[in-house]
Amino acid sequence: MLILSNTERAANLIQSFKQVAVDQTSEARRQFDIAHYIGEIITSLRPRLRHRKVEIDIDCLPELQMDSYPGALSQVLTNLVMNALLHAYDDDAEGRIRICVDTLAGQKIRLSVTDDGKGIPPENLKRIFEPFFTTRRGDGGSGLGLHIVFNIVFKRLGGTIRVDSTVGEGTSFILVLPCTAPETAN
């Protein structure tokens, strides 16, 4: 029974890897269930999260459909989660990242990625979407991750992104995205 359970878990992990990998390398637009897709993205990140004491919670209405670019959404969520792991927590720190999706008027969703980590100092907060701005240059940071996230959200997904943070309490990235992405870039 244990072998069957592990085999099923491995098959599910491989399927998640495959779907996310295809979406990330394709710029294809398609309709998808956002709760299910976010689950696949987080499943594909599990090997990177395995040795960390940071939990990830997903709170999303079931069967909420989007007609958008899942590869772009995957890149945004992956960057936001990995950015939180890099900047919000020390390597051995415990924490929680919460991904929450709810609906707004006008066929839009609000997607927030919130951590309970270190927070961002006010002097850095106003610069985080600038290209090449990083506080971790010596540790491999290029300063392009959040700049790329900003551009994908605005240009590809047709949405907006903002950040709220308090030092010592954590950070929230709040995206407002149309359920149906625009056909052309902004």
Side-chain angles (χ1 to χ4, degrees):
M1 194 65 178
L2 183 60
I3 292 173
L4 180 60
S5 173
N6 286 340
T7 303
E8 286 176 7
R9 206 165 4 144
N12 290 337
L13 185 61
I14 290 168
Q15 184 60 36
S16 292
F17 281 143
K18 284 173 47 178
Q19 183 62 60
V20 171
V22 165
D23 285 335
Q24 285 181 336
T25 59
S26 166
E27 293 189 20
R29 176 191 189 115
R30 68 178 171 91
Q31 190 164 352
F32 57 96
D33 178 308
I34 191 166
H36 179 75
Y37 193 64
I38 290 172
E40 287 185 342
I41 294 167
I42 299 308
T43 297
S44 74
L45 293 176
R46 290 280 179 223
R48 294 182 188 173
L49 304 171
R50 184 180 359 211
H51 301 292
R52 301 295 299 265
K53 297 175 189 172
V54 177
E55 296 292 323
I56 298 181
D57 296 328
I58 302 170
D59 180 12
C60 182
L61 297 170
E63 300 179 16
L64 180 58
Q65 296 291 309
M66 289 189 75
D67 179 2
S68 191
Y69 301 94
L73 182 62
S74 173
Q75 190 172 358
V76 166
L77 277 177
T78 298
N79 275 336
L80 291 176
V81 169
M82 298 313 293
N83 197 64
L85 288 174
L86 179 65
H87 295 284
Y89 306 103
D90 293 327
D91 288 341
D92 58 346
E94 292 182 13
R96 183 168 306 279
I97 298 171
R98 186 165 187 235
I99 301 170
C100 184
V101 180
D102 58 348
T103 58
L104 300 173
Q107 292 291 307
K108 293 184 178 186
I109 63 160
R110 176 179 38 226
L111 186 155
S112 61
V113 179
T114 302
D115 67 64
D116 60 356
K118 297 176 186 177
I120 303 170
E123 63 273 13
N124 294 345
L125 197 58
K126 58 188 171 198
R127 299 188 59 208
I128 61 168
F129 294 120
E130 292 177 9
F132 306 111
F133 177 74
T134 182
T135 59
R136 302 288 295 257
R137 187 153 327 272
D139 296 326
S142 67
L144 289 174
L146 291 177
H147 178 68
I148 291 169
V149 163
F150 178 86
N151 284 315
I152 292 172
V153 169
F154 181 68
K155 294 180 178 176
R156 188 69 171 158
L157 300 174
T160 61
I161 183 170
R162 69 180 172 85
V163 60
D164 294 326
S165 187
T166 303
V167 173
E169 295 181 19
T171 301
S172 289
F173 287 90
I174 301 98
L175 292 70
V176 174
L177 303 170
C179 290
T180 302
E183 291 294 331
T184 59
N186 288 330

